Amino acid sequence: MKILKVVNEDPDLPNFSWSTLRKVIKYLNFKYVTKSRQSILIDRQDIILWRQRYLRKIKEIRKEGRYIYYQDETWINEGHAPKKAWIDQTVVSSRQAFLDGLTTGLKQPSGKGKRLIIGHIGGEEGFVEDSLLIFEAKKNKEDYHQEMNADSFEKWFKGVLPKLKPNSVVVMDNAPYHSRKLESLPTMSWTKPRIQEWLTSKNISFEATMVKATLIDIVRQHKQEHCDKYVVD
């Protein structure tokens, strides 16, 4: 009953009866069991916080009546094919199929083949017309995110923007190519004079005798003020 209490005290969630909450938990494939000494997988606190922020923001946007688009990428191999298919059992040989003017069907691909990267954007009304992004992967690596870069994504996204509804919202994940900053933030790889120059350009006070680590700490303190804008914004 502790779960029910926590859920019903959360202002961002509807109130549930115990029977309804139990059905929801079962639907999510959770099972109430006696705990063993084995560790139980739970979300990290930062992930929980991010999820709560997202849900609150989405709830706020929906109340405002704004249209929401969702954007993402995925991949598919040229050799992708279903494992099962319907077959005509009256055809028992390739010769019979030939004589009957039929074929024996598509052959199962022998390998994965080329990999295609696919991106799209859409909402409750469907995908945005003429906005499919698709190209052949070059590296063919396990992680398809390595095939995309900020320049390619931003070029595609700029072409999509005019097709979206006014005052709408786009939901996307935080892949590196989605979140390129308008301005780079100084790091320890920068030279000390370069960091000092950046601080001076932002009218941020520092002492000339400060070591690089201290300067970087000052940069972090002002991060939100000066480096919170993204190219796709």
Side-chain angles (χ1 to χ4, degrees):
M1 300 299 286
K2 184 177 180 180
I3 297 176
L4 180 65
K5 182 175 182 295
V6 172
V7 169
N8 286 340
E9 287 178 351
D10 192 323
D12 293 319
L13 294 174
N15 284 342
F16 289 98
S17 66
W18 171 241
S19 60
T20 301
L21 181 61
R22 191 165 176 268
K23 289 177 182 177
V24 171
I25 294 173
K26 280 193 170 184
Y27 178 77
L28 295 173
N29 287 326
F30 280 88
K31 185 179 180 181
Y32 191 70
V33 298
T34 302
K35 289 193 299 182
S36 66
R37 292 187 178 182
Q38 296 177 345
S39 299
I40 299 175
L41 294 176
I42 59 175
D43 281 336
R44 298 198 320 256
Q45 288 299 314
D46 60 319
I47 300 298
I48 294 172
L49 179 60
W50 273 106
R51 184 184 297 117
Q52 289 179 339
R53 286 176 180 168
Y54 168 78
L55 292 174
R56 279 196 292 267
K57 190 64 178 178
I58 284 292
K59 185 177 180 180
E60 177 185 325
I61 291 168
R62 286 174 176 161
K63 280 185 177 179
E64 294 171 355
R66 299 168 70 184
Y67 191 85
I68 302 175
Y69 293 95
Y70 298 89
Q71 188 281 328
D72 206 355
E73 301 87 27
T74 188
W75 59 272
I76 185 171
N77 284 328
E78 189 180 43
H80 269 175
K83 293 181 179 179
K84 295 184 177 181
W86 292 101
I87 62 171
D88 184 352
Q89 297 187 75
T90 62
V91 179
V92 295
S93 68
S94 57
R95 176 174 173 75
Q96 180 189 348
F98 175 76
L99 293 175
D100 291 344
L102 304 172
T103 72
T104 54
L106 297 174
K107 293 183 178 180
Q108 191 75 7
S110 58
K112 291 183 178 180
K114 298 176 182 178
R115 173 173 291 188
L116 299 177
I117 308 300
I118 303 168
H120 219 322
I121 183 170
E124 61 181 15
E125 296 176 5
F127 289 112
V128 178
E129 191 174 352
D130 297 326
S131 297
L132 173 64
L133 170 67
I134 183 167
F135 62 91
E136 183 182 329
K138 302 298 181 184
K139 301 175 184 177
N140 216 26
K141 291 190 175 181
E142 194 71 25
D143 185 2
Y144 69 89
H145 289 96
Q146 297 180 30
E147 300 286 349
M148 183 74 79
N149 60 62
D151 290 331
S152 299
F153 174 77
E154 289 159 12
K155 181 180 178 181
W156 169 79
F157 193 65
K158 287 175 183 177
V160 169
L161 285 176
K163 304 172 186 177
L164 306 185
K165 296 177 183 290
N167 199 34
S168 57
V169 175
V170 178
V171 176
M172 63 178 71
D173 61 28
N174 64 340
Y177 46 83
H178 289 167
S179 50
R180 182 162 66 166
K181 298 279 189 176
L182 275 173
E183 184 178 0
S184 298
L185 196 70
T187 66
M188 286 298 290
S189 65
W190 286 30
T191 63
K192 182 177 176 180
R194 188 182 175 193
I195 299 172
Q196 291 174 326
E197 183 181 345
W198 186 90
L199 290 170
T200 301
S201 70
K202 304 301 180 186
N203 295 318
I204 300 174
S205 300
F206 65 92
E207 296 178 13
T209 56
M210 288 179 173
V211 297
K212 188 191 289 189
T214 305
L215 294 175
I216 289 297
D217 186 55
I218 294 175
V219 169
R220 292 192 184 113
Q221 294 174 29
H222 295 271
K223 177 181 177 181
Q224 296 301 321
E225 301 171 34
H226 302 284
C227 291
D228 202 28
K229 295 292 183 181
Y230 297 91
V231 174
V232 295
D233 289 343

